[in-house]
Amino acid sequence: MLVRDAMSTLVLTIGPAHTLRQAATLMSARRVGAAVVLDHDSNQIGILTERDILNSLGAGQNPDLEAAGAHTTTDVVFATPDWTLDEAAAAMTHGGFRHLVVLDGTGPVGVVSVRDLLRRWAPARRGAPAVPAAAVAG
């Protein structure tokens, strides 16, 4: 199975001048855990994740004043739609991140997350038994 089969093609893109609050509002509205940050001035692509926003808040920074660009990861590993899911999982595991930006020749075309991989590798089965309450409570 390939990355193109699992990736989300709904790519939230923001600019580096967006505030963290604006980014969080957009991410929440679209129910995504990451935004691709496009800096047209430097022709650079980065990623801002919910963890980046959480780290800023935890440090006492004001989300209305902090620019996304100051919290963006710019040393990003990119996938192509033709990568296998095993290649994507290996890159995520090796790099210690949960979102992988997918590029083709024209720019970002998707994002694949750990959740996307799990959905493909462990599809819901009809008639599968419910998860035991003890497993959920843990």
Side-chain angles (χ1 to χ4, degrees), residues 14-19 37-41 66-70 72:
I14 63 172
H18 277 80
T19 67
V37 181
L38 299 178
D39 188 341
H40 296 291
D41 293 336
E66 290 295 315
T72 298

PDB file of all heavy atoms in Angstrom, residues 14-19 37-41 66-70 72:
ATOM      1  N   ILE A  14      -0.717  27.528   5.904  1.00  0.00           N
ATOM      2  CA  ILE A  14      -0.727  28.852   6.514  1.00  0.00           C
ATOM      3  C   ILE A  14       0.598  29.527   6.187  1.00  0.00           C
ATOM      4  O   ILE A  14       1.533  28.883   5.719  1.00  0.00           O
ATOM      5  CB  ILE A  14      -0.944  28.787   8.042  1.00  0.00           C
ATOM      6  CG1 ILE A  14       0.213  28.037   8.734  1.00  0.00           C
ATOM      7  CG2 ILE A  14      -2.294  28.152   8.366  1.00  0.00           C
ATOM      8  CD1 ILE A  14       0.157  28.106  10.252  1.00  0.00           C
ATOM      9  N   GLY A  15       0.663  30.809   6.471  1.00  0.00           N
ATOM     10  CA  GLY A  15       1.906  31.545   6.301  1.00  0.00           C
ATOM     11  C   GLY A  15       2.629  31.671   7.630  1.00  0.00           C
ATOM     12  O   GLY A  15       2.030  31.491   8.697  1.00  0.00           O
ATOM     13  N   PRO A  16       3.900  32.001   7.595  1.00  0.00           N
ATOM     14  CA  PRO A  16       4.671  32.108   8.833  1.00  0.00           C
ATOM     15  C   PRO A  16       4.222  33.261   9.728  1.00  0.00           C
ATOM     16  O   PRO A  16       4.502  33.255  10.931  1.00  0.00           O
ATOM     17  CB  PRO A  16       6.114  32.307   8.346  1.00  0.00           C
ATOM     18  CG  PRO A  16       5.991  32.796   6.951  1.00  0.00           C
ATOM     19  CD  PRO A  16       4.716  32.236   6.406  1.00  0.00           C
ATOM     20  N   ALA A  17       3.489  34.232   9.187  1.00  0.00           N
ATOM     21  CA  ALA A  17       3.034  35.367   9.991  1.00  0.00           C
ATOM     22  C   ALA A  17       1.729  35.085  10.734  1.00  0.00           C
ATOM     23  O   ALA A  17       1.337  35.874  11.600  1.00  0.00           O
ATOM     24  CB  ALA A  17       2.871  36.601   9.103  1.00  0.00           C
ATOM     25  N   HIS A  18       1.064  33.992  10.426  1.00  0.00           N
ATOM     26  CA  HIS A  18      -0.135  33.644  11.183  1.00  0.00           C
ATOM     27  C   HIS A  18       0.247  33.512  12.656  1.00  0.00           C
ATOM     28  O   HIS A  18       1.338  33.035  12.977  1.00  0.00           O
ATOM     29  CB  HIS A  18      -0.718  32.305  10.716  1.00  0.00           C
ATOM     30  CG  HIS A  18      -1.590  32.389   9.521  1.00  0.00           C
ATOM     31  ND1 HIS A  18      -1.088  32.462   8.242  1.00  0.00           N
ATOM     32  CD2 HIS A  18      -2.936  32.412   9.413  1.00  0.00           C
ATOM     33  CE1 HIS A  18      -2.099  32.512   7.383  1.00  0.00           C
ATOM     34  NE2 HIS A  18      -3.233  32.489   8.070  1.00  0.00           N
ATOM     35  N   THR A  19      -0.648  33.928  13.544  1.00  0.00           N
ATOM     36  CA  THR A  19      -0.374  33.723  14.965  1.00  0.00           C
ATOM     37  C   THR A  19      -0.672  32.271  15.322  1.00  0.00           C
ATOM     38  O   THR A  19      -1.368  31.566  14.582  1.00  0.00           O
ATOM     39  CB  THR A  19      -1.248  34.635  15.848  1.00  0.00           C
ATOM     40  OG1 THR A  19      -2.620  34.243  15.721  1.00  0.00           O
ATOM     41  CG2 THR A  19      -1.050  36.103  15.502  1.00  0.00           C
ATOM     42  N   VAL A  37       3.361  25.049   6.644  1.00  0.00           N
ATOM     43  CA  VAL A  37       3.688  26.474   6.641  1.00  0.00           C
ATOM     44  C   VAL A  37       4.475  26.779   5.378  1.00  0.00           C
ATOM     45  O   VAL A  37       5.576  26.255   5.184  1.00  0.00           O
ATOM     46  CB  VAL A  37       4.485  26.866   7.903  1.00  0.00           C
ATOM     47  CG1 VAL A  37       4.792  28.357   7.895  1.00  0.00           C
ATOM     48  CG2 VAL A  37       3.715  26.469   9.168  1.00  0.00           C
ATOM     49  N   LEU A  38       3.879  27.600   4.526  1.00  0.00           N
ATOM     50  CA  LEU A  38       4.523  27.987   3.266  1.00  0.00           C
ATOM     51  C   LEU A  38       5.071  29.390   3.408  1.00  0.00           C
ATOM     52  O   LEU A  38       4.314  30.342   3.622  1.00  0.00           O
ATOM     53  CB  LEU A  38       3.516  27.942   2.113  1.00  0.00           C
ATOM     54  CG  LEU A  38       2.884  26.588   1.805  1.00  0.00           C
ATOM     55  CD1 LEU A  38       1.878  26.724   0.665  1.00  0.00           C
ATOM     56  CD2 LEU A  38       3.945  25.572   1.449  1.00  0.00           C
ATOM     57  N   ASP A  39       6.380  29.520   3.287  1.00  0.00           N
ATOM     58  CA  ASP A  39       7.029  30.826   3.317  1.00  0.00           C
ATOM     59  C   ASP A  39       7.444  31.168   1.897  1.00  0.00           C
ATOM     60  O   ASP A  39       8.455  30.683   1.395  1.00  0.00           O
ATOM     61  CB  ASP A  39       8.234  30.798   4.250  1.00  0.00           C
ATOM     62  CG  ASP A  39       8.836  32.173   4.474  1.00  0.00           C
ATOM     63  OD1 ASP A  39       8.572  33.090   3.662  1.00  0.00           O
ATOM     64  OD2 ASP A  39       9.563  32.338   5.469  1.00  0.00           O
ATOM     65  N   HIS A  40       6.635  31.991   1.244  1.00  0.00           N
ATOM     66  CA  HIS A  40       6.877  32.327  -0.159  1.00  0.00           C
ATOM     67  C   HIS A  40       8.121  33.198  -0.334  1.00  0.00           C
ATOM     68  O   HIS A  40       8.745  33.168  -1.389  1.00  0.00           O
ATOM     69  CB  HIS A  40       5.644  33.001  -0.764  1.00  0.00           C
ATOM     70  CG  HIS A  40       4.455  32.088  -0.801  1.00  0.00           C
ATOM     71  ND1 HIS A  40       4.383  30.988  -1.634  1.00  0.00           N
ATOM     72  CD2 HIS A  40       3.310  32.083  -0.082  1.00  0.00           C
ATOM     73  CE1 HIS A  40       3.235  30.361  -1.447  1.00  0.00           C
ATOM     74  NE2 HIS A  40       2.563  31.002  -0.502  1.00  0.00           N
ATOM     75  N   ASP A  41       8.500  33.944   0.727  1.00  0.00           N
ATOM     76  CA  ASP A  41       9.694  34.790   0.626  1.00  0.00           C
ATOM     77  C   ASP A  41      10.970  33.963   0.544  1.00  0.00           C
ATOM     78  O   ASP A  41      11.877  34.279  -0.210  1.00  0.00           O
ATOM     79  CB  ASP A  41       9.772  35.749   1.817  1.00  0.00           C
ATOM     80  CG  ASP A  41       8.666  36.784   1.800  1.00  0.00           C
ATOM     81  OD1 ASP A  41       8.120  37.072   0.702  1.00  0.00           O
ATOM     82  OD2 ASP A  41       8.329  37.311   2.880  1.00  0.00           O
ATOM     83  N   GLU A  66       2.587  35.234  19.260  1.00  0.00           N
ATOM     84  CA  GLU A  66       3.595  34.341  18.691  1.00  0.00           C
ATOM     85  C   GLU A  66       3.261  33.996  17.241  1.00  0.00           C
ATOM     86  O   GLU A  66       2.145  33.560  16.940  1.00  0.00           O
ATOM     87  CB  GLU A  66       3.686  33.046  19.503  1.00  0.00           C
ATOM     88  CG  GLU A  66       4.282  33.222  20.880  1.00  0.00           C
ATOM     89  CD  GLU A  66       5.722  33.658  20.832  1.00  0.00           C
ATOM     90  OE1 GLU A  66       6.512  33.092  20.039  1.00  0.00           O
ATOM     91  OE2 GLU A  66       6.067  34.585  21.591  1.00  0.00           O
ATOM     92  N   ALA A  67       4.240  34.189  16.365  1.00  0.00           N
ATOM     93  CA  ALA A  67       4.069  33.869  14.950  1.00  0.00           C
ATOM     94  C   ALA A  67       4.342  32.386  14.711  1.00  0.00           C
ATOM     95  O   ALA A  67       5.252  31.808  15.312  1.00  0.00           O
ATOM     96  CB  ALA A  67       5.007  34.704  14.095  1.00  0.00           C
ATOM     97  N   ALA A  68       3.554  31.801  13.838  1.00  0.00           N
ATOM     98  CA  ALA A  68       3.728  30.384  13.500  1.00  0.00           C
ATOM     99  C   ALA A  68       5.146  30.114  13.013  1.00  0.00           C
ATOM    100  O   ALA A  68       5.725  29.075  13.345  1.00  0.00           O
ATOM    101  CB  ALA A  68       2.711  29.966  12.447  1.00  0.00           C
ATOM    102  N   GLY A  69       5.705  31.039  12.250  1.00  0.00           N
ATOM    103  CA  GLY A  69       7.045  30.854  11.701  1.00  0.00           C
ATOM    104  C   GLY A  69       8.110  30.647  12.757  1.00  0.00           C
ATOM    105  O   GLY A  69       9.117  29.983  12.512  1.00  0.00           O
ATOM    106  N   ALA A  70       7.897  31.202  13.955  1.00  0.00           N
ATOM    107  CA  ALA A  70       8.868  31.057  15.040  1.00  0.00           C
ATOM    108  C   ALA A  70       8.801  29.674  15.682  1.00  0.00           C
ATOM    109  O   ALA A  70       9.696  29.299  16.439  1.00  0.00           O
ATOM    110  CB  ALA A  70       8.639  32.131  16.093  1.00  0.00           C
ATOM    111  N   THR A  72       7.771  26.814  13.730  1.00  0.00           N
ATOM    112  CA  THR A  72       7.676  25.869  12.629  1.00  0.00           C
ATOM    113  C   THR A  72       8.931  25.012  12.539  1.00  0.00           C
ATOM    114  O   THR A  72      10.044  25.520  12.659  1.00  0.00           O
ATOM    115  CB  THR A  72       7.486  26.637  11.300  1.00  0.00           C
ATOM    116  OG1 THR A  72       6.255  27.353  11.374  1.00  0.00           O
ATOM    117  CG2 THR A  72       7.469  25.719  10.105  1.00  0.00           C
TER     118      THR A  72
END
